[in-house]
Amino acid sequence: MPADASGPHVVREIVLDHEGVLSSVRGVDADDATGNLADLVAIARRAGRLAGQHELSFYWRDGEGVPLFCTIRTLGHESRTSLSWTSQVMVPYGITPRELDVLTLLVGGLSNNAIAERLWTSARTVTTHVERILAKLDVRSRAGAAAVAIEESLLVLPVPGGPKGFERLLIGLLSTPEEEADPVQPWRRHGLGRTVARPAAPATGRRSVRRPILLGSAFPVTGKVAEDGKEMVRASQLAIDELNVQGGIAGRPVELVNVDLDIRDAASISHAFEDLAGQDVDAMVSGYLGDQELAHEIAAEHRAPYLHAATLDSMVRMVEENPSRYGNIFQICPSDTHYGPGFVDALSHLRDSGQLPRRSKSLAVVRGRWKLGDLGLDESVARAERDGWELDYIADDVSGDEAWAEQGRRIASRAPAAVLVGTYFVDETVTFLRSFLAAPSPTVVYSLYAPSIPRFRVEMGPQAEGLLWATTTGTYSDRLARSFGDRYRDAWAVSPGRSHAGIAYDRVRILANAWAAADSPRDFDSVAQSLRQGVHRGVNGAYSFSGAGQSALAYPLVTADPSISMAHLVFQIQDNRQRIVHPSPYTEATFRMPPWWRD
């Protein structure tokens, strides 16, 4: 899409239903559809009445001659038609308005004389325009210029001088005026006392310009969590490459558009999502964000499906309580409120199965600072009491290296049976562990998520041996997951982590299935409805969004059915490998006493 001279694109959209009636608008008053944009809407309506699937991008001039860059997408008369556009555009290559007219007519194969007649000018002037066009596009022939015009949407509608001679081209069909459709039977029109079927698009001789399906991602590729973000980018790109090799979605390729951001900075988050919305992406994805509600609001305005992995129960409640606004937002992993109960559940299992000595009843939690975060500590206290534990130490809102180091020393001094290290960040987890291991107690250290990132084991080295860690979304160790890991290594020459790489890969596959099942990737409501239906089995488990909050389910904490949920996986680092020790049936190893354990 051409660059906007004033900065980020401001995309406006009108959607017509399958009868050509105005369905919804975005960024424009509904009155404009029947006012100064009526002729443009008429072009979109004609596209919706043609048989077959079409997508065409082009320029259109309003009543004051100001160019708009427009895209029409439709699957035909049984589907909705989307008309989106952006204003204040600059035509690429320095093409002038008159040269754009000439270039459009070159697509029809017209001679200089024929072009001059249509434009009410001389053949010599047209010859000059053509020479300049060839120079600007760096092509040698008129045919080459026409090919570039089609490939890069350097077209203006209606066809200058009228559609005569362009009947075999889509731009000619869309430039041909027709009578208003019958409001009851809009696919028919009446003339001379008889009913005439709507015209079908020609089978040959036309070319529809089709923009790739744009998947907009907000993954950090610089800063402290860059390694995690790069994993998400790599896994997403792997899934997209596999899709495109298979033909994309109905012949359309998928393209990843990533915007870097600082996940802890509100302004950076807002800028990233506004950028993606401005690029008119067909779906949005992200990992975990500090001010997640900002992304929710921008995604709600954009209306495209937004699949995030923020693990925030507060965000699930937003969707549940206001589905009309947030119905396009899906949390593709269970919420953080399962972390505390999952900690107690795993420790009870290890104790009751005889893998963990009954040395102490004391449990501890050290939780870092994370806006909107909730580890479900109230439920954890209740579950601990039920299972014969005492959750008698909770340190909350821990921030800064010295504070984390101090908590490591305190836990070693208190010597509880186990401690939950409640932070997602490698640096904070490493600081706590090194402080604890300086004079360790016989305590099971149970971390969250951070050890899934390969950098964690690089930094900790042998000291990571024996550590337990959990994730609400982890990559399984079955055949499907092993195959993904092999393909990831072949593509990127590194191994994926055991959490967000897998979920990023699955997320693309989930969206691909929804795009394929929907009327059109641009029919956002239809795509969202497809996401709510069925279950997708990926490398990180089974995804189901049928609940009111549109969030994945946790096994076994929420449901006993693993076929519709994601296992709350607990790994232990054993011989520098990540081994699942809970829950069944995904267990691949028994728990080992950590090397620092001394009774």
Side-chain angles (χ1 to χ4, degrees), residues 119 165 254 307 359 452 489:
L119 300 181
V254 180
L307 279 63
R359 187 193 64 82
S452 72
R489 279 185 289 273

Side-chain angles (χ1 to χ4, degrees), residues 343 347 350 356 416-420 436 441-446 466 468 591 593-594 596-597:
F343 166 62
L347 267 293
L350 294 177
L356 180 66
V419 57
L420 170 63
F436 170 82
S441 60
T443 298
V444 172
V445 180
Y446 182 107
L468 284 178
F591 171 74
M593 299 302 297
W596 64 77
W597 187 284

Side-chain angles (χ1 to χ4, degrees), residues 331-335 338 542-545 550-554 564-566:
Q331 182 172 292
I332 59 170
C333 51
S335 294
H338 301 306
Y543 301 78
S544 173
F545 307 112
Q550 300 184 164
S551 172
L553 302 173
I564 61 170
S565 53
M566 305 176 74

Side-chain angles (χ1 to χ4, degrees), residues 1-51:
M1 187 179 289
D4 188 323
S6 64
H9 295 297
V10 177
V11 178
R12 298 171 174 83
E13 183 176 45
I14 289 175
V15 177
L16 306 174
D17 67 14
H18 67 283
E19 295 183 347
V21 178
L22 183 66
S23 172
S24 64
V25 297
R26 178 163 62 94
V28 64
D29 292 334
D31 291 343
D32 286 339
T34 55
N36 58 344
L37 297 174
D39 291 341
L40 178 58
V41 174
I43 293 175
R45 188 171 288 117
R46 289 169 205 148
R49 291 173 184 167
L50 296 175

Side-chain angles (χ1 to χ4, degrees), residues 265-267 269-270 273 291-299 315:
D265 181 74
I269 293 170
S270 293
F273 279 83
D291 289 85
Q292 181 63 51
E293 72 277 17
L294 298 177
H296 268 52
E297 295 302 335
I298 296 171
M315 298 296 99

